[in-house]
Amino acid sequence: MSPVTLTEAATNRIKELLTKRQKEYLKLGIKRRGCNGLAYTLNYADEKGKFDELVEQNGVQVLIDSPALMHLFGTRIDFVEDRIRSEFTFSNPNSKGSCGCGESFTT
């Protein structure tokens, strides 16, 4: 079982971003910040780190930073675009709470 799943909208957007930046991977992680202590990070990567988890789905490759795995297992990543916003969203079953703006979470 994959630690995270990507929707079709998410994989399409990731393909666009990686092609535009000529990068091999998008790397998902977490940082300590925000009202609830943790926030998602997305960065470009040229190579897989020794302990990174590789998720391949619908032709895209996403790396997960190893310290983030326990916080992200089971997360569903989507990409939402409408008149107000254009962003990746995270449905994380491990999240015990989030701040009002949705920028940070706790597990």
Side-chain angles (χ1 to χ4, degrees), residues 11-82:
T11 57
N12 289 341
R13 181 61 176 157
I14 292 168
K15 281 179 193 175
E16 289 175 23
L17 293 170
L18 292 176
T19 300
K20 184 177 180 179
R21 294 287 182 120
Q22 299 179 351
K23 296 292 182 179
E24 187 79 18
Y25 307 101
L26 192 67
K27 188 168 185 174
L28 172 61
I30 56 168
K31 294 227 181 224
R32 295 204 175 276
R33 69 171 171 228
C35 307
N36 278 293
L38 299 171
Y40 301 104
T41 61
L42 289 170
N43 295 294
Y44 297 104
D46 292 318
E47 58 187 45
K48 181 183 179 293
K50 184 176 180 179
F51 299 107
D52 290 342
E53 181 78 20
L54 177 62
V55 173
E56 295 182 79
Q57 192 176 328
N58 299 330
V60 299
Q61 297 182 24
V62 175
L63 299 174
I64 302 174
D65 192 29
S66 62
L69 270 174
M70 67 180 198
H71 300 285
L72 298 174
F73 196 81
T75 298
R76 180 178 171 269
I77 303 170
D78 194 10
F79 182 74
V80 177
E81 190 170 25
D82 58 32

Side-chain angles (χ1 to χ4, degrees), residues 78-90 101:
D78 194 10
F79 182 74
V80 177
E81 190 170 25
D82 58 32
R83 293 179 56 186
I84 298 173
R85 64 188 175 144
S86 174
E87 65 185 358
F88 287 100
T89 61
F90 302 86
C101 68

